């Protein structure tokens, strides 16, 4: 029973660690200077030059703090918001432990995904809702957990009581409610569930909550919005406030959220969720069968995006699946041919012209995690050779000119300004920068003739239009009226622009004749054929586009001759967009964003030394026989992480107090700390001895991200100096006195891996290497060298992997200090730290089943996989008489891993290992067969 309790406690602690959000540590270079806008509601911390964005965020938060309280509660606690402008990622978060938010300020090019609102506004109205959630869920048992364990305690309680789908669904509802757009008004946002319903895929609730390795499952944002919007529509504005307050207070220890829904709706949770999904299914499902979609051999998830016709009428596209990473393909002669796997990219957009593909790849900065780039790549379709045209650029959505000599790109500068740049297609040098006379945000620009560009554009309020822009003057002629209907993916054939745009509850295909100044739309026979018409491509007799299905984006191709067009009045694009039957959006707080006052606010310098010690949480830990409690600290800029800890060892009954910190604000990490141990005990000449230890240390390390192209590569090198002084007590105080020594721990690690598909257990090719060398430098003689390497190779069939392992350890012959090591002993044997050890092993990993089954919303099994292994360790040491000891320790066996999710949210991999020992276990128990429970840790990035 005790063993089971330890296993359960270990799982619980892993669950806690997964629940707590991890931020980028030391992500900004020291050259970034910070300022702040300080209000009673928020402190906006921002790099110099972002004053207007910071003031806008502060004004939005202040206004929404007062206007939207009634829908969630009136508790308030000031939030620190850090604006990050060095990254190309579009994102934001709010976290507890510490309580702060970060906005990543580069907008997405694709307006269909998140909308076209000004990105700062979108982040503020979405992320501040999370702030309000955390502020108002600090009640009842959640508040008790915060008192006992700090902010991380509240985070654990809140996430245990309230599902993630509510947190995000409520935030999406809020962004839709307080603006004129929001994801709840975008047809693309509903495609995920509409595709399941249209394909009659009736997945279980647990599958919808936990996902799948084999089937497409919508994320918790989409699910959350459907349930939250239905709850407000059906039961009023106070419904979710009442439900979540009861849940956060744990009024009902088990399943408090479901109990609260029953209390305030009169229906149990199963009935409620079924009613909500059926509400949207009745209103959004189109029963018309999809036609003209290119058929494939199986129904696995395979997605085809951005089709482009070549000069020979073949189609080039990006193909993605769960088995492999995205790659460029060409379809010709009725077969698909792979051109090249794509480099890591933010999206799959590319442009084709004259046998060349141009796209931007994602590349992180070597050291600073909040600094990354969009570098221009040009790929030869005929031979698959790729050239990098620009380095350390921030480019998006490139297009090649008709003559193949120029490339137009969108550049988004750190200050948030968008511009069009014309580059030389041979070397990537800037030819000219197009003036942005109307302060537009450009998306998906296309060359039109020699001196014009057609681009979907957003104005400063977030409305969109299609613009014809002069390359020389930057003057824009707007082809459509501005509206909140999103527009994207323009492509040009002669004098006609084909593009996608939202219209009511669908994303439609349109065309605009520049010569005749007419808007056109296909005849009604296209209506209802598919979910959306995206990424059109045109040739003289064919038209192709992509449409969304439950198995990914699929290609649709038609003869242009049978595609009839009709005139469409530009009133198709108006300011009132579809609300998908959620009338509550037009009641409380409707379009509050349009009422935000532009209040002038002062700003001042924000010192990097502000709040360096910011203790926010208490973390208990159990690693029997040691029990510890740690007070953790992290400053808002995330440059200093420190902890004050107390540890009790149940075997030796010693107590240890420690303080350790790591500073990441400089190019290398600097670490320092001290541990003081009281009442350690041991034996000397058969007698019990007691002593205290003090162990200060300091170190330096340099973590580098060397990723580029199709490889994810990380390296870390460093050293730590540790001094240890032992003070003996009692009868042996005078005999042994004080003993001191110091040692260095030098380390190096390197991992590199190819991109991998969702189903791949490990990448097709990868390597991981770690080296450690520890050496005493004062008073004693001791050293230890350890190297551990893993090599990952493809197996015989898809998603299978061969993993080769090699390791070597050698320490000095007469070590006076016994250093710990992470040497990977042959599995099944009791390990020892001997003079010299060499190990090699081979593993064969393969998937077994994809059950997609769960139990009682507690545990869900996504995948079962296995590994067959063989290990051999050769050891050398010395007997007390000086003679040499040698042995081989070999084992073989199998491991079965279970990739699970717990409580519908937390991924955890558990395993069972059977080892058959081929040699005697010289250091452990007799017997040849061993069973172990394993919690594997993957050294490679996921």
């Amino acid at each position: 029973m005790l063993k089971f309790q330890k296993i359960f406690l270990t799982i619980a602690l892993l669950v806690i660690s997964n629940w707590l959000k991890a931020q980028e540590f030391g992500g900004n270079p020291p050259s970034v200077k910070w300022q702040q806008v300080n209000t009673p509601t928020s402190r906006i911390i921002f790099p110099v030059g972002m004053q207007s964005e910071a003031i806008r965020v502060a004004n939005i938060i202040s206004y929404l703090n007062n206007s939207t309280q009634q829908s969630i509660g009136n508790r308030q606690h000031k939030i620190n918001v850090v604006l990050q402008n060095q990254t190309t990622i579009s994102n934001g978060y709010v976290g507890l432990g510490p309580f702060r938010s970060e906005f990543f300020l580069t907008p997405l090019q694709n307006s269909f995904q998140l909308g076209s609102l000004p990105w700062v506004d979108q982040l503020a109205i979405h992320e501040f809702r999370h702030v309000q959630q955390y502020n108002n869920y600090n009640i009842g048992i959640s508040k008790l957990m915060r008192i006992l364990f700090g902010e991380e305690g509240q985070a654990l309680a809140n996430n245990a009581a309230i599902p993630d789908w509510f947190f995000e669904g409520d935030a999406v509802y809020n962004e839709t409610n307080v603006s004129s757009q929001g994801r709840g008004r975008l047809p693309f946002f509903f495609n995920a569930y509409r595709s399941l319903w249209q394909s009659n895929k009736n997945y279980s609730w647990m599958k919808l909550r936990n996902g799948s390795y084999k089937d497409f499952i919508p994320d918790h944002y989409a699910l959350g919005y459907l349930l939250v919007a239905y709850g407000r529509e059906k039961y009023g504005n106070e419904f979710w406030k009442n439900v979540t307050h009861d849940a956060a207070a744990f009024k009902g220890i088990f399943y408090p959220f479901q109990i609260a829904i029953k209390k305030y709706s009169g229906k149990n949770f199963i009935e409620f969720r079924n009613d909500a999904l059926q509400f949207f299914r009745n209103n959004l499902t189109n029963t018309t069968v999809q036609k003209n979609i290119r058929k494939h051999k199986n129904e696995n998830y395979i997605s085809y995006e951005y089709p482009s016709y070549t000069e020979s009428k073949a189609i080039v596209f990006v193909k993605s699946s769960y088995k492999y990473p995205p790659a460029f393909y060409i379809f010709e002669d009725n077969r698909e041919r792979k051109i090249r796997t794509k480099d890591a990219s933010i999206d799959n957009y590319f442009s084709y012209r004259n046998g060349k593909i141009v796209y931007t790849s994602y590349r992180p900065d070597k050291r600073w995690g909040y600094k990354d780039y969009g570098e221009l790549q040009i790929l030869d379709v005929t031979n698959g050779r790729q050239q990098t045209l620009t380095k350390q650029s921030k480019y998006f959505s490139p297009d090649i000119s008709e003559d193949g000599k120029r490339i137009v790109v969108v550049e988004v500068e750190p200050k948030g300004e968008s511009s069009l740049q014309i580059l030389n297609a041979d070397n990537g040098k800037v030819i000219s920068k197009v003036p942005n006379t109307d302060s537009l945000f450009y998306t998906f620009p296309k060359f039109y003739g020699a001196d014009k560009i057609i681009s979907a554009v957003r104005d400063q309020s977030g409305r969109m239009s299609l613009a014809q822009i002069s390359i020389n003057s930057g003057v824009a002629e707007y082809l459509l009226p501005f509206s909140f209907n999103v527009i994207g993916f323009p492509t040009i054939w002669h004098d006609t622009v084909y593009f996608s745009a939202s219209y009511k509850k669908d994303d439609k295909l349109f065309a605009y004749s520049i010569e005749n100044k007419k808007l056109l739309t296909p005849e009604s026979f296209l209506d209802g054929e598919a979910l959306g018409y995206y990424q059109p491509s045109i040739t003289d007799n064919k038209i192709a586009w992509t449409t969304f299905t439950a198995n990914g984006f699929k290609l649709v191709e038609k003869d242009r001759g049978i595609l009839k067009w009709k005139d469409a009045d530009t009133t198709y694009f108006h300011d009132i967009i579809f609300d998908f039957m959620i009338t509550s959006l037009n009641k409380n707080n409707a379009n509050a964003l349009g009422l935000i006052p532009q209040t002038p606010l002062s700003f001042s310098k924000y010192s990097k030394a502000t709040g360096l010690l910011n203790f926010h949480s208490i973390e208990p830990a159990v690693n029997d026989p040691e029990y510890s409690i740690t007070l953790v600290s992290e400053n808002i800029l995330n440059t200093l992480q420190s902890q004050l800890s107390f540890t009790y060892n149940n075997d030796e009954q010693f107590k240890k107090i420690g303080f350790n910190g790591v500073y990441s604000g400089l190019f290398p990490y600097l670490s320092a700390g001290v541990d003081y141990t009281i009442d350690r005990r041991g034996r000397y000449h058969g007698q019990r001895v007691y002593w205290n230890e003090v162990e200060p240390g300091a170190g330096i390390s340099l973590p580098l991200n060397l990723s580029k192209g199709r490889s994810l590569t990380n390296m870390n090198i460093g050293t730590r100096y540790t001094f240890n002084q032992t003070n003996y007590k009692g009868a042996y105080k005078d005999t042994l006195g004080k003993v001191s020594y110091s040692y260095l721990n030098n380390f190096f690690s390197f991992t590199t891996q190819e991109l991998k598909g969702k189903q791949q257990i490990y990448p097709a090719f990868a390597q991981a290497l770690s080296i450690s060398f520890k050496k005493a430098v004062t008073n004693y003689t001791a050293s230890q060298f350890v190297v551990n390497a893993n090599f990952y190779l493809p197996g015989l069939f898809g998603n299978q992997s061969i993993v080769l392992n090699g390791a070597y350890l050698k320490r000095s012959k007469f070590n006076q200090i016994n250093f710990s090591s992470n040497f990977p002993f042959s599995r099944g044997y009791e390990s020892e730290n001997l003079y010299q050890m060499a190990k090699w092993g081979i593993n064969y990993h393969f998937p077994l089943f994809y059950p997609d089954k769960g139990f009682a919303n507690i545990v869900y099994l996504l995948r079962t996989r296995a590994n067959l292994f063989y290990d051999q360790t050769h050891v050398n040491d010395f007997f007390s008489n000086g003679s040499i000891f040698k042995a081989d320790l070999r084992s073989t066996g199998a491991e079965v891993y279970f990739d699970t999710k717990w409580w519908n949210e937390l991924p955890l991999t558990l395993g069972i290992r059977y080892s058959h020992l081929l040699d005697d276990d010289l250091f452990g128990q007799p017997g040849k067969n061993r069973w172990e429970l394993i919690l594997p840790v993957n050294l490679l990035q996921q």
Side-chain angles (χ1 to χ4, degrees):
M1 182 65 181
L2 181 60
K3 185 175 181 180
F4 175 79
Q5 290 173 339
K6 290 180 180 178
I7 292 170
F8 183 81
L9 183 57
T10 301
I11 293 173
L13 292 174
L14 285 170
V15 164
I16 291 171
S17 66
N18 275 290
W19 245 321
L20 305 176
K21 297 183 178 180
Q23 289 82 41
E24 190 70 40
F25 184 49
N28 289 292
S31 59
V32 176
K33 307 301 179 186
W34 297 95
Q35 295 180 314
Q36 62 179 328
V37 172
N38 212 341
T39 73
T41 310
S42 65
R43 177 187 288 108
I44 314 301
I45 304 165
F46 59 94
V48 171
M50 304 295 294
Q51 291 90 339
S52 61
E53 289 81 1
I55 292 171
R56 176 65 175 172
V57 171
N59 277 319
I60 292 174
I61 288 176
S62 295
Y63 186 84
L64 293 182
N65 184 61
N66 296 319
S67 65
T68 61
Q69 285 181 359
Q70 67 271 24
S71 65
I72 199 167
N74 57 10
R75 295 171 181 262
Q76 300 182 34
H77 186 68
K78 187 172 181 176
I79 181 69
N80 290 290
V81 180
V82 183
L83 305 186
Q84 302 285 0
N85 68 341
Q86 302 290 313
T87 175
T88 59
I89 303 295
S90 307
N91 208 346
Y93 76 87
V94 177
L96 286 170
F99 186 42
R100 69 169 170 212
S101 179
E102 289 188 292
F103 293 0
F104 309 130
L105 295 181
T106 301
L108 275 181
Q109 284 284 294
N110 188 346
S111 304
F112 292 94
Q113 290 183 332
L114 296 179
S116 61
L117 292 173
W119 186 234
V120 167
D121 292 15
Q122 173 93 353
L123 287 170
I125 59 180
H126 182 97
E127 301 303 336
F128 184 65
R129 188 59 169 190
H130 292 315
V131 174
Q132 292 179 310
Q133 291 165 348
Y134 282 130
N135 284 343
N136 285 282
Y137 299 160
N138 184 27
I139 54 177
I141 290 181
S142 294
K143 185 174 183 177
L144 176 63
M145 288 289 290
R146 185 176 181 125
I147 293 171
L148 295 176
F149 301 108
E151 292 177 1
E152 290 180 358
Q154 183 193 338
L156 173 61
N158 284 175
N159 285 283
I162 302 171
D164 59 351
W165 63 255
F166 176 81
F167 278 96
E168 295 301 347
D170 181 57
V172 171
Y173 182 91
N174 190 65
E175 78 184 45
T176 309
N177 179 205
V178 304
S179 74
S180 295
Q181 194 186 70
R183 272 171 279 186
R185 292 190 177 96
L186 300 181
F188 187 87
F189 185 67
F190 292 89
N191 281 351
Y193 273 93
R194 294 172 75 182
S195 68
L196 297 187
W197 297 330
Q198 185 163 301
S199 300
N200 202 29
K201 293 182 180 291
N202 300 310
Y203 295 139
S204 70
W205 171 252
M206 288 196 71
K207 185 165 181 172
L208 294 177
R209 288 290 288 119
N210 293 282
S212 172
Y213 278 108
K214 62 181 180 180
D215 298 312
F216 165 73
I217 302 296
D219 62 25
H220 59 287
Y221 287 77
L223 176 64
Y225 181 78
L226 298 185
L227 270 61
V228 169
Y230 175 79
R232 290 204 189 279
E233 185 75 9
K234 180 74 173 178
Y235 300 106
N237 196 47
E238 300 284 312
F239 175 69
W240 288 116
K241 180 176 74 172
N242 296 331
V243 167
T244 54
H245 282 211
D246 278 12
F250 283 84
K251 293 183 178 179
I253 298 298
F254 299 104
Y255 304 106
F257 191 80
Q258 289 87 333
I259 290 172
I261 283 182
K262 171 70 172 178
K263 176 180 177 181
Y264 293 105
S265 72
K267 294 188 175 183
N268 64 44
F269 180 65
I270 295 175
E271 293 175 313
F272 172 82
R273 76 190 188 214
N274 288 341
D275 288 349
L277 296 177
Q278 193 62 44
F279 171 83
F280 283 100
R281 184 169 189 165
N282 290 341
N283 287 285
L284 296 179
T285 302
N286 193 316
T287 57
T288 306
V289 178
Q290 296 188 25
K291 303 174 183 177
N292 305 301
I293 296 175
R294 193 180 298 281
K295 300 300 181 183
H296 307 283
K297 293 181 180 179
N298 55 53
E299 287 299 316
N300 293 332
Y301 180 90
I302 302 176
S303 197
Y304 297 78
E305 295 180 86
Y306 298 102
S308 292
Y309 282 106
T310 69
E311 292 73 20
S312 63
K313 311 304 184 292
I315 301 180
V316 177
F317 52 85
V318 173
K319 179 180 176 181
S320 309
S321 77
Y322 284 173
K323 295 183 178 181
Y324 304 103
F328 293 107
Y329 281 78
I330 185 169
F331 184 84
E332 56 184 348
D333 300 327
N334 290 318
R335 67 183 183 90
E336 293 178 3
R337 174 176 64 86
K338 182 179 177 179
I339 303 170
R340 185 185 190 273
T341 298
K342 276 182 84 271
D343 286 2
S345 304
I346 290 176
D347 58 33
N348 286 331
Y349 181 82
F350 73 93
S351 174
Y352 169 88
R353 187 88 69 170
N354 300 325
K356 300 291 177 66
I357 285 173
V358 63
Y359 71 103
T360 56
S361 64
Y362 171 82
R363 185 169 185 177
D365 186 83
K366 289 181 174 63
R367 166 62 180 85
W368 308 108
Y370 282 151
K371 191 174 183 180
D372 49 61
Y373 309 100
E375 298 184 336
L376 207 60
Q377 310 292 335
I378 191 161
L379 171 64
D380 192 318
V381 170
T382 59
N383 56 30
R385 294 176 184 169
Q386 182 171 290
Q387 175 189 357
T388 300
L389 289 182
T390 64
K391 294 183 178 180
Q392 296 191 347
S393 55
K394 294 198 174 183
Y395 292 152
F396 304 86
S397 302
D399 183 54
I400 309 175
S401 63
E402 189 171 355
D403 60 10
K405 296 181 179 180
R406 296 176 298 163
I407 296 173
V408 60
V409 294
V410 177
E411 183 184 50
V412 181
E413 300 174 1
K415 290 186 177 181
E417 297 174 353
S418 171
S419 67
L420 296 175
Q421 295 199 5
I422 310 300
L423 311 180
N424 186 310
D426 292 327
N427 55 29
K429 301 294 184 182
V430 177
I431 298 173
S432 64
K433 179 177 179 179
V434 179
N436 189 352
T437 56
D438 292 346
S439 299
L440 300 169
F441 184 81
Y442 302 105
T443 66
F444 304 120
K446 293 288 184 180
F447 280 105
Y448 177 50
D451 59 351
K452 293 183 178 63
I453 292 169
I454 301 292
S455 176
V457 297
R458 309 174 195 166
D459 67 13
Q460 291 184 306
S461 68
R463 291 181 172 88
M464 294 200 73
S465 181
L466 199 63
Q468 177 180 265
I469 302 151
S470 168
I471 292 177
N472 295 324
S473 67
V475 173
E477 176 188 348
Y478 301 111
L479 310 182
L480 300 171
F482 278 95
S483 78
F484 282 110
N485 292 280
V486 295
I487 297 173
F489 315 124
T491 188
I492 302 171
W493 181 256
H494 298 312
D495 73 332
T496 301
V497 184
Y498 297 83
F499 62 96
S500 305
S502 61
Y503 174 65
K504 295 185 178 179
K505 65 179 182 179
D506 295 299
D507 293 321
K508 298 286 191 178
L509 182 65
F510 292 91
Y512 185 86
S513 172
I514 299 175
E515 181 178 345
N516 299 323
K517 299 185 183 301
K518 283 187 176 182
L519 179 66
L520 306 170
T521 185
E523 295 284 1
S524 59
F525 76 87
L526 282 177
D527 292 342
E529 281 195 4
L531 292 173
Y533 302 84
Y534 307 103
Q535 307 152 10
S537 183
I538 316 295
T539 186
D540 53 2
N541 60 356
K542 294 285 186 180
I543 180 171
W545 61 83
T546 63
T547 186
F548 194 85
T549 76
N551 291 307
F553 284 97
K554 304 302 179 187
L555 292 181
V556 179
E557 187 176 33
K558 284 183 176 288
D559 292 330
R560 287 187 64 208
I562 65 170
L563 191 63
K564 305 302 181 183
W565 297 85
K566 64 180 181 180
D567 289 348
D569 194 286
T570 55
T571 56
Y572 268 51
F573 300 96
H574 49 71
D575 289 333
I576 301 174
I577 59 178
F578 204 61
D579 60 16
F580 291 88
M581 290 73 64
I582 303 300
T583 60
S584 60
L585 291 169
N586 305 313
K587 298 176 182 177
N588 299 295
N589 306 314
N591 197 23
L593 188 62
L595 305 175
I596 305 296
Q598 301 302 312
T599 305
L601 298 172
S602 62
F603 54 90
S604 60
K605 177 182 177 181
Y606 183 82
S607 172
K608 296 178 184 179
T610 301
L612 282 177
L613 290 179
N614 177 34
F615 291 101
H616 56 77
S617 300
I618 299 173
E619 297 179 352
V622 176
N623 186 17
D624 195 43
E626 291 193 345
Y627 301 81
S628 66
I629 188 165
T630 303
L631 184 61
V632 294
S633 167
E634 183 181 306
N635 65 324
I636 299 303
L637 289 180
N638 203 3
T639 55
L640 180 64
Q641 293 179 346
S642 52
Q643 56 186 37
L644 178 65
S645 62
F646 174 80
T647 302
Y648 175 74
N649 185 289
N650 193 45
D651 283 352
E652 297 185 38
Q653 297 183 356
F654 67 75
K655 287 76 67 179
K656 182 168 65 175
I657 301 171
F659 180 81
N660 290 275
V662 181
Y663 182 71
S664 63
L666 302 175
F667 194 73
Y669 284 8
L670 304 177
S671 61
V674 60
D675 292 323
Y676 182 65
T677 306
I678 305 169
D679 294 335
R680 289 209 68 174
R681 65 184 184 182
R683 289 194 173 272
Y684 179 73
H685 292 173
Q687 299 297 316
R688 179 79 70 183
V689 294
Y690 295 88
W691 70 90
N692 296 339
E693 281 182 358
V694 60
E695 194 171 72
I700 185 170
S701 64
L702 183 59
L704 297 175
N705 190 337
L706 307 177
S707 302
K708 68 174 183 177
R710 296 170 291 184
S711 297
L712 306 178
T713 304
N714 290 273
M715 184 176 75
N716 190 19
I717 185 170
T719 186
R720 184 174 178 88
Y721 173 83
T722 301
F723 173 80
N724 181 288
Q725 179 171 294
T726 301
N727 301 307
Y728 286 91
K729 305 188 300 181
Y732 286 88
K733 179 178 181 180
D734 296 330
T735 304
L736 300 175
K738 293 183 179 180
V739 177
S740 64
Y741 64 90
S742 58
Y743 67 92
L744 283 174
N745 178 16
N746 307 297
F747 54 88
F748 171 82
S749 66
F750 179 86
T751 64
T752 184
Q753 68 174 73
E754 287 189 351
L755 301 174
K756 72 183 190 74
K758 183 175 182 177
Q759 286 185 356
Q760 287 181 281
I761 299 171
Y762 295 109
F765 295 96
Q767 302 84 42
L769 173 69
S770 66
I771 300 173
S772 171
F773 179 64
K774 298 176 181 179
K775 182 175 177 59
V777 293
T778 61
N779 298 339
Y780 291 95
T781 299
S783 66
Q784 178 178 275
F785 174 78
V786 184
V787 60
N788 188 6
N790 291 279
F791 302 91
Y792 298 76
L793 302 168
L796 297 176
F797 303 100
N799 301 332
Q800 299 181 357
S801 294
I802 298 172
V803 183
L804 305 177
N805 169 251
Y808 178 76
L809 178 148
K810 185 176 182 179
R811 57 182 176 84
S812 57
K813 187 173 182 179
F814 302 108
N815 257 8
Q816 295 174 294
I817 303 172
N818 191 25
F819 295 118
S820 63
S821 79
N822 60 347
F823 184 85
F825 221 72
S826 292
R827 279 163 279 194
Y829 289 93
E830 188 73 24
S831 62
E832 284 289 333
N833 194 349
L834 303 176
Y835 163 66
Q836 187 178 43
M837 300 186 288
K839 184 252 181 178
W840 74 274
I842 183 169
N843 302 265
Y844 195 89
H845 293 266
F846 53 96
L848 293 174
F849 311 106
Y850 299 96
D852 287 346
K853 300 292 184 182
F855 172 74
N857 288 301
I858 296 175
V859 61
Y860 185 82
L861 181 58
L862 291 116
R863 176 173 62 187
T864 303
R865 51 189 172 91
N867 174 41
L868 305 178
F869 69 85
Y870 173 84
D871 289 341
Q872 180 170 337
T873 302
H874 179 76
V875 300
N876 293 330
D877 211 308
F878 304 93
F879 290 106
S880 58
N881 61 6
S883 60
I884 297 175
F885 163 75
K886 293 183 179 181
D888 283 298
L889 304 170
R890 300 166 300 156
S891 66
T892 186
E895 299 166 334
V896 178
Y897 295 95
F898 304 95
D899 296 321
T900 67
K901 275 194 177 181
W902 291 74
W903 294 285
N904 293 328
E905 294 188 22
L906 305 169
L908 185 65
T909 295
L910 303 171
I912 299 173
R913 176 187 295 139
Y914 166 73
S915 302
H916 178 71
L917 309 189
L918 302 177
D919 301 289
D920 291 335
D921 189 351
L922 302 176
F923 313 109
Q925 300 296 320
K928 295 290 188 180
N929 301 309
R930 304 290 163 83
W931 291 90
E932 300 171 86
L933 176 69
I934 51 178
L935 301 173
V937 177
N938 184 7
L939 295 178
L940 295 174
Q941 293 182 357
Q942 293 294 308

